Amino acid sequence: MASFLSAGDKPVVYILATGGTIAGASSSSTASSYDAGKVLIETILQALPKDEVAKYATLKSEQVLQKGSQNLTPSDWLKISKRVNELLKDKNIDAIVITHGTDTIEESAMFLQLTTKSDKPVVLVGAMRPSTSLSADGPKNLFDAIVLASSPLSKGKGVLLTFNGNILSASDVTKSSPVHIDAFKPANIGYLGYMWNNTPYFLRDNLQRHTTQSQFDISNTSSLPQVEILYGYAGSSAKAVEDAVKNGAKGIVYAGVGNGNFNDEVQKALIKASQSGVKVVRTSRIIYGPTPQWGEVDDEKYGFITSWWHTPQATRIILMLGLNAGITDSKELQKLMLSY
Ligand code: ASP
């Protein structure tokens, strides 16, 4: 752990660094190619205006991982979540900021949303341009994250993500551009708020269960159940479903077309999977908007579950945590989708 700056009575914000483009480096400040997860957090922090940071927080930092987030695994989620819970219990730490690659930041955010147990602010942040880039977006995003984490307004709001001046709930975040710096949108209702002039402005609250109201406890978990996401398209075959079952999947999240639909061949394979005890959740390849029950598929008849407002990747996390908690009844799993 390194101490960057001490600002007396300001909240202590603990920065956990995991890698990503915010820690990326390139030999050119203008080319688009770079390596993610190269720069250590102590160096990244040097790009922040110390005097400005000192108005809001005392920082401590730790490099917990150093990867592009495309290489993160569920074991990494467990590692991060356990460390976050440990830090949140420390009465000398007021809030946590996690620097993270953007590719799977929404998955880590959702996992933390359901497995961390505190009202203290936890804010994830990343960047679309590497730290060596001309007009790198990381320092401003990180500064916003520190300000957001240090604000009493952020307490009890669940896990947050700030990006490009927006504040999003971890329950409702999805990467919406592979390249633009405004890369994150809420999948359903809207931003929780905005950062402006070093102040968070919250416009709404997240009424879904999270953090202190979450039933999930991973403190004794060393691995999570295998759940696969499969993608629907015109002419999709049953093969992917059959392979997932053969390879030991305990759950399948099927990102179908439209309102979580699939063709007859895929449906037959999913029914067979469901009858063999594999949990099947219908969701949609359309990121925005819900996949509700009672559409064109008779979910109750086949023991299927639907994701409602969750993206396929968030749905997978709820299913993994539900199965990990020993919940296998489809109706109970359906309740989880609705309440988180
Ligand atoms: N591949 C990078 C990552 O997720 C992309 C980024 O951080 O923007 O780590």
Side-chain angles (χ1 to χ4, degrees), residues 19-22 34 36 67-70 100-104 127-128 175:
T21 296
I22 194 166
Y34 66 96
K67 294 185 179 188
S69 69
Q70 62 270 43
H100 198 293
T102 62
D103 287 354
T104 65
M128 291 301 285
K175 190 167 182 185

Side-chain angles (χ1 to χ4, degrees), residues 147-160:
V147 173
L148 180 61
S150 68
S151 168
L153 296 174
S154 302
K155 279 193 188 149
K157 293 275 193 302
V159 175
L160 303 172

Side-chain angles (χ1 to χ4, degrees), residues 85-136:
N85 274 318
E86 222 167 63
L87 294 167
L88 290 170
K89 279 191 202 135
D90 185 334
K91 62 177 180 8
N92 298 314
I93 294 170
D94 299 295
I96 295 177
V97 166
I98 302 169
T99 60
H100 198 293
T102 62
D103 287 354
T104 65
I105 198 170
E106 61 203 86
E107 292 170 62
S108 298
M110 187 63 174
F111 191 76
L112 294 170
Q113 180 75 307
L114 302 189
T115 60
T116 55
K117 308 282 177 194
S118 171
D119 270 352
K120 292 181 186 176
V122 176
V123 180
L124 283 105
V125 69
M128 291 301 285
R129 294 180 181 148
S131 68
T132 50
S133 170
L134 190 65
S135 292

